[in-house]
Amino acid sequence: DAKTTQPTSMDCAEGRAANLPCNHSTISGNEYVYWYRQIHSQGPQYIIHGLKNNETNEMASLIITEDRKSSTLILPHATLRDTAVYYCIVRAHRTTSGTYKYIFGTGTRLKVLA
Amino acid sequence: GAGVSQSPRYKVAKRGQDVALRCDPISGHVSLFWYQQALGQGPEFLTYFQNEAQLDKSGLPSDRFFAERPEGSVSTLKIQRTQQEDSAVYLCASSLKPGPNYGYTFGSGTRLTVV
């Protein structure tokens, strides 16, 4: 699976948009980009995923560059409850072993400030 | 159930003791994963089940770690002769189907402390 690079930490003011970048320059054509977040003492929570096109759901928007080498997760109006570690993951459609598994990095620790 | 349930929530084991960690996935979910998360790190893959078949166990750190899912639903992760380096949060996740468009639902994990 392609490796991802994320900033270690970011701060965002409450009510403002939080833009979390992710670099995945070695991504291949069949690999999706997934975003999860992990709030303290909980398991990771699915946010959004995409392959080529930008995606939006009730939680966030995902912007993928045309060359697919990087992406940005956007939380349009950050709240204190969005304070968490955000993981950007790429995963092949199917690995040679038949497994569909995530390889997590260390993520970005987002702190939303009041 | 509505979510992935893991038990116990916390476990303290003496070094050398055997432990068993349980995962109840969402009913009907085909895929089940176990991950290990050390303090301050991202989760690391341990093993994967598709129904009752263990298709990938490449992440299990040693032969002291064993996982099973005999009827394709509940799964148990067993650690024999626990060591201090086994202290971590063990996360279970399930997914309706194996495809790329199915997100995973994670449980809250079992925090194992080996003393």
Side-chain angles (χ1 to χ4, degrees), chain A residues 62-87:
Chain A
L62 173 60
I63 308 298
I64 302 174
T65 57
E66 193 169 341
D67 63 7
R68 302 188 69 240
K69 293 185 177 183
S70 65
S71 61
T72 301
L73 178 75
I74 302 173
L75 307 178
H77 305 288
T79 72
L80 298 178
R81 287 174 295 181
D82 292 322
T83 293
V85 177
Y86 287 76
Y87 295 101

Side-chain angles (χ1 to χ4, degrees), chain B residues 53-114:
Chain B
Q54 190 175 19
L55 296 187
D56 191 330
K57 51 183 180 180
S58 62
L60 297 176
S62 76
D63 58 8
R64 297 186 296 103
F65 286 71
F66 172 77
E68 60 183 5
R69 194 187 185 197
E71 297 178 358
S73 55
V74 171
S75 178
T76 304
L77 176 67
K78 297 179 179 179
I79 308 173
Q80 297 177 322
R81 304 181 304 280
T82 52
Q83 303 294 316
Q84 283 193 319
E85 61 263 28
D86 300 335
S87 295
V89 175
Y90 291 86
L91 294 162
C92 176
S94 72
S95 175
L96 180 61
K97 293 184 181 180
N101 281 315
Y102 296 94
Y104 296 165
T105 301
F106 281 83
S108 294
T110 294
R111 181 178 296 278
L112 173 65
T113 303
V114 181

Side-chain angles (χ1 to χ4, degrees), chain A residues 40-62:
Chain A
H40 184 61
S41 296
Q42 297 182 21
Q45 175 192 23
Y46 168 81
I47 301 174
I48 199 168
H49 76 280
L51 181 62
K52 295 181 182 178
N53 300 320
N54 298 336
E55 302 287 344
T56 296
N57 63 21
E58 65 277 3
M59 288 182 70
S61 295
L62 173 60

